[in-house]
Amino acid sequence: MKLRMTLLSLILLVSFACKNESTTSSLANYQGEESYSVIAGENKVGYLKTIISGDTINVDFDYKNNGRGPTMKETIVLDAAGYPIDWSITGNTTFGNAVDEKFNLTGSDASWTDATGSGTASVANPLLYVNQFGSPYSAVLAARLLMGAPESTLPVLPAGNVTLTQMETLTVPNASGEGELALTTYALSGADLNPSYFILDSDNRFFASISPRMVVIREGYEASEKQMRQLAENYSAERYQSLQKEYAHNYGKKVRIHNVHVFDSKNLKLTDAVSVVVDGDKIASIDPVDATGENEVVIEGNGGTLVPGLYEMHAHTGDNAALLNVLAGVTSFRDMGNNNEVLANLIEKINTGVLAGPRVTRLGFIEGKSKFNANNGILVGSKEEALAAVDTYDSLGVYGIKLYNSMNGDWAADIVKKAHAQGLFVTGHVPAFSNANAMLNAGFDEMTHINQTMLGWVLEPEEDTRTLLRLTAMKRFPQIDLNSAKVQETMDLFVSNKTGIDPTLSIHEKLMLSRNGEVAPGSVDYVDHMPPNAQRGLKVAMSQIADEEEDKAYRDAYKKIVETLNMMKDKGILIVPGTDLGGAFNLHRELELYTEQLGYSPAEVLKLATYDMAQYLGQEDLGSIEPGKLADFFLVPGNPIEDIKAIKTIGMVSSGGTFYYPSEVYPEFGITPFTGKPEVKE
Ligand SMILES: [Zn+2]
């Protein structure tokens, strides 16, 4: 009897508990496992798996694209309302930095630890935690909470607010082949510069996170990944098209910028005070300071400096960075590799004024097929395919081609020969298992990333640079003897072939000198202007710095890079300014580094990034502020040839006679303006 009772009461107890657990848990309807594929450039490059049991979600997320990508495990415990009350994220970031992020909410005590350190808050009610390193899956948790919130907006931890916006509904064929699956797309904004986009099904189950170049999508629906990427491209384009409509000033008449000193990029000096007249997309005249004209818009320069638009020579164009670059005075891009379709659309929209963005000079990206290949441009499996890719790009009217890590180095000489015969410029990474000397002998016109050249002095022939090794092996740089025969042979090849170097020094600074909890050295001048989560992201090490020895190795390696570039500069090797970090504020840093560490004067580095690059690309109508040239320039209150930092405080930008005032636009990104709008008399 007794036993039976106990058994019965036990069964009752368990079922009650389960019922209670499943009934009270906000995850009652989501128990079980789900699997997702990560797809980049139409290739499956990873997965996301979730297991939901009771009020706990376990997430396993990993992808490898171009030989690198995050590996994350998350355990998330929700309260009955769906707020995460315990969250742990462990793993490694794309560039290898170890992650051990935690959040906990006990009663009214919230505490978290991320790469920037720890924080606490006392909260009257649960608040959503915005994580730093979690997978895209957590968007669904935010969405379920925001759906019931006023204005679909909630304050979040560590700081800021996030807003959910429903974008559209659509259906896709069911994976089972029967019927259709109803979906709704959403945007989540407020934490970062740009919204993130994702999709839920009619049960508010996570279906996909989407971006123009990569999706994480429910298994069985991989066939619709292109459609999903197109949606993200549309949403992003819509956002930027509406910003362009609102903040691009096309005055439709002459514009006079009154009382400015023009930076004469050819002669490295500032003019006396003048007024500059723009008519249409060109500079019409440079007049005496007190000259006036009929029926003009007058922008008051207030004695500031007018600088020609800057060139970012190592860009990967995206609509999200395009406008931010123009606002930072970067009016010309050399695109070093992209999804060709996405890029063609962007260039079309920029050229027709639908989107704000720099003028784009295209390099055709050619990558070899391998398990580590990047998923951009054209992938080739043979020399014949590589030579055919040269023709494809030639027919698209590109400026040149760029070869990448998984290319077969033995094909380079023939590829270069064909490209040169067709008047195409050639640059690139050093293909794995090859070295810089081989590419210089093959006839490269320029070499990309200083590490790609220097690795040839420290790697064994069989070591594979398609992996993170091309970053971690930089720890060997301190042992390089720059006066050794090996190094001098490479230097001599650069000189004799008149080959330039695109060092992307600022990304090396970030890779090797950024540390958890410290503002990255290149970001100190703008970090406080950024939205909360973006500020956090600027206080994270890019690489894995496990201990003091590794810390010292990377610091010494960075010093060796600077010594190498100084030697190259002294030998007359052209240094081509680009960042590979999205340009804008980072291009300002690249130029600043050249003045701080490579011995350029501020005037010399401004000439380099304007007049010299225009000449280098054969763009005669750009690079200086002269009558007849395209009206690409920006206004700063200060004097940038006295202090290069003056280029970081921009009041106005003209991009081909379309005027922008950063102080008007930055709030759309959650950025605090650096200076106000000049007086404009229309
Ligand atoms: Zn790049």
Side-chain angles (χ1 to χ4, degrees):
M1 181 57 188
K2 196 160 167 322
L3 176 64
R4 195 162 53 74
M5 278 302 295
T6 341
L7 194 59
L8 183 62
S9 54
L10 187 63
I11 292 167
L12 276 175
L13 187 65
V14 170
S15 64
F16 174 77
C18 294
K19 193 167 73 51
N20 263 355
E21 197 183 287
S22 57
T23 50
T24 54
S25 162
S26 61
L27 295 170
N29 303 329
Y30 304 109
Q31 303 290 298
E33 299 188 16
E34 287 243 50
S35 295
Y36 303 83
S37 299
V38 182
I39 301 176
E42 295 164 31
N43 291 319
K44 178 166 178 172
V45 294
Y47 62 86
L48 186 151
K49 290 186 189 313
T50 64
I51 300 173
I52 299 178
S53 166
D55 56 10
T56 302
I57 308 167
N58 282 292
V59 180
D60 186 355
F61 178 52
D62 182 295
Y63 73 81
K64 293 292 169 283
N65 181 26
N66 185 14
R68 55 187 182 219
T71 300
M72 292 297 167
K73 287 196 183 320
E74 298 176 75
T75 300
I76 314 165
V77 179
L78 305 188
D79 69 5
Y83 279 92
I85 53 173
D86 199 79
W87 200 329
S88 79
I89 306 170
T90 57
N92 291 85
T93 64
T94 294
F95 288 92
N97 190 4
V99 169
D100 187 6
E101 184 173 1
K102 288 184 176 51
F103 171 76
N104 181 274
L105 178 63
T106 306
S108 61
D109 298 327
S111 61
W112 59 89
T113 298
D114 63 23
T116 69
S118 297
T120 61
S122 174
V123 294
N125 301 300
L127 284 185
L128 177 64
Y129 173 68
V130 173
N131 69 64
Q132 198 170 30
F133 296 112
S135 73
Y137 183 82
S138 51
V140 68
L141 306 177
R144 290 178 194 149
L145 293 168
L146 289 159
M147 284 171 187
E151 317 280 324
S152 302
T153 296
L154 285 170
V156 295
L157 293 170
N161 296 283
V162 292
T163 298
L164 181 75
T165 309
Q166 180 175 325
M167 305 297 282
E168 67 183 290
T169 59
L170 68 153
T171 61
V172 293
N174 251 325
S176 63
E178 295 189 16
E180 306 244 299
L181 181 68
L183 301 171
T184 305
T185 66
Y186 294 92
L188 191 64
S189 55
D192 279 301
L193 293 174
N194 292 292
S196 57
Y197 302 103
F198 60 98
I199 305 176
L200 306 182
D201 67 16
S202 53
D203 300 324
N204 285 340
R205 268 175 200 281
F206 182 66
F207 175 79
S209 81
I210 58 176
S211 73
R213 290 172 185 74
M214 183 186 277
V215 301
V216 178
I217 191 162
R218 186 179 294 175
E219 248 177 29
Y221 292 88
E222 289 81 355
S224 56
E225 71 89 17
K226 200 163 183 186
Q227 180 193 357
M228 299 305 148
R229 279 195 289 117
Q230 189 57 55
L231 288 176
E233 197 180 325
N234 299 348
Y235 299 152
S236 189
E238 279 155 25
R239 169 174 154 77
Y240 283 94
Q241 280 160 218
S242 68
L243 291 174
Q244 173 75 342
K245 278 202 194 94
E246 184 157 2
Y247 298 112
H249 298 267
N250 291 299
Y251 292 110
K253 55 184 169 181
K254 283 188 178 176
V255 177
R256 178 179 299 274
I257 299 99
H258 173 252
N259 187 18
V260 287
H261 298 272
V262 168
F263 171 60
D264 174 352
S265 53
K266 283 196 260 186
N267 301 304
L268 301 169
K269 61 183 176 57
L270 293 193
T271 66
D272 295 336
V274 294
S275 65
V276 173
V277 178
V278 172
D279 188 2
D281 66 350
K282 295 207 172 43
I283 295 159
S285 64
I286 298 180
D287 298 349
V289 66
D290 50 11
T292 57
E294 297 297 308
N295 188 26
E296 296 178 333
V297 171
V298 178
I299 298 174
E300 182 47 51
N302 222 5
T305 307
L306 222 51
V307 183
L310 302 171
Y311 277 76
E312 160 59 284
M313 296 292 281
H314 193 118
H316 298 283
T317 315
D319 53 11
N320 48 7
L323 172 56
L324 287 171
N325 270 276
V326 168
L327 299 176
V330 182
T331 55
S332 288
F333 266 5
R334 184 180 65 173
D335 188 279
M336 300 295 278
N338 219 307
N339 173 304
N340 287 334
E341 245 178 285
V342 172
L343 181 62
N345 289 341
L346 279 171
I347 291 173
E348 168 67 21
K349 287 180 177 169
I350 290 170
N351 291 350
T352 54
V354 172
L355 277 180
R359 304 170 193 279
V360 178
T361 300
R362 256 182 108 162
L363 292 184
F365 187 87
I366 306 177
E367 165 71 313
K369 282 183 187 147
S370 86
K371 65 176 178 178
F372 298 108
N373 66 241
N375 289 292
N376 266 333
I378 298 175
L379 294 182
V380 297
S382 68
K383 187 160 67 175
E384 290 61 41
E385 285 180 19
L387 297 173
V390 173
D391 282 331
T392 304
Y393 280 125
D394 196 5
S395 68
L396 290 172
V398 301
Y399 174 81
I401 59 167
K402 177 195 175 180
L403 305 185
Y404 208 63
N405 299 310
S406 291
M407 175 58 64
N408 181 323
D410 300 339
W411 305 345
D414 288 341
I415 296 169
V416 174
K417 196 162 151 231
K418 178 175 174 60
H420 284 172
Q422 293 168 223
L424 295 172
F425 174 93
V426 180
T427 184
H429 286 210
V430 173
F433 314 113
S434 182
N435 58 56
N437 294 4
M439 293 309 109
L440 290 160
N441 285 322
F444 270 36
D445 300 295
E446 193 185 293
M447 301 291 289
T448 303
H449 300 309
I450 186 62
N451 70 323
Q452 292 277 328
T453 290
M454 295 175 72
L455 285 168
W457 303 327
V458 298
L459 288 178
E460 299 307 320
E462 70 283 358
E463 290 190 285
D464 189 347
T465 56
R466 297 171 302 175
T467 65
L468 271 184
L469 180 74
R470 66 177 178 273
L471 306 177
T472 55
M474 291 199 279
K475 286 180 283 180
R476 304 176 197 175
F477 284 178
Q479 75 199 25
I480 296 171
D481 171 3
L482 291 181
N483 297 310
S484 65
K486 179 163 59 173
V487 171
Q488 289 307 310
E489 181 192 354
T490 305
M491 292 288 183
D492 293 345
L493 283 168
F494 266 96
V495 174
S496 59
N497 293 2
K498 294 189 174 49
T499 302
I501 178 81
D502 153 28
T504 60
L505 186 56
S506 54
I507 197 170
H508 286 87
E509 180 192 41
K510 195 173 174 102
L511 270 164
M512 304 164 92
L513 303 185
S514 61
R515 297 289 182 270
N516 284 340
E518 298 169 17
V519 176
S523 311
V524 288
D525 289 339
Y526 65 86
V527 62
D528 297 335
H529 293 255
M530 305 301 274
N533 227 30
Q535 288 196 24
R536 252 166 131 196
L538 295 171
K539 299 169 187 167
V540 176
M542 202 167 169
S543 309
Q544 170 64 352
I545 312 291
D547 51 36
E548 276 187 25
E549 192 196 335
E550 202 156 51
D551 174 86
K552 184 173 183 322
Y554 276 123
R555 290 185 193 283
D556 292 347
Y558 180 77
K559 283 193 198 119
K560 187 62 74 172
I561 285 178
V562 170
E563 285 169 35
T564 303
L565 287 172
N566 273 294
M567 180 179 275
M568 293 176 106
K569 179 174 175 264
D570 295 344
K571 286 179 181 290
I573 295 167
L574 176 68
I575 296 191
V576 174
T579 69
D580 202 19
L581 269 178
F585 305 144
N586 293 310
L587 184 71
H588 297 164
R589 179 59 180 169
E590 184 83 16
L591 303 182
E592 188 179 23
L593 285 171
Y594 290 13
T595 65
E596 289 176 0
Q597 299 173 359
L598 302 187
Y600 288 87
S601 71
E604 286 168 343
V605 83
L606 283 177
K607 174 176 184 279
L608 180 70
T610 57
Y611 185 74
D612 292 356
M613 287 307 107
Q615 294 291 303
Y616 185 57
L617 295 175
Q619 297 168 353
E620 291 296 336
D621 51 1
L622 285 165
S624 60
I625 298 171
E626 295 176 83
K629 294 223 175 179
L630 289 164
D632 285 14
F633 53 71
F634 59 99
L635 172 66
V636 296
N639 176 347
I641 68 171
E642 260 170 27
D643 178 0
I644 192 71
K645 283 184 185 290
I647 65 172
K648 301 183 181 191
T649 307
I650 297 175
M652 172 271 280
V653 180
S654 169
S655 174
T658 297
F659 290 82
Y660 300 88
Y661 305 100
S663 59
E664 285 183 344
V665 192
Y666 277 148
E668 296 280 353
F669 295 92
I671 295 174
T672 310
F674 297 83
T675 187
K677 177 181 176 178
E679 189 199 337
V680 179
K681 283 190 227 100
E682 293 193 44

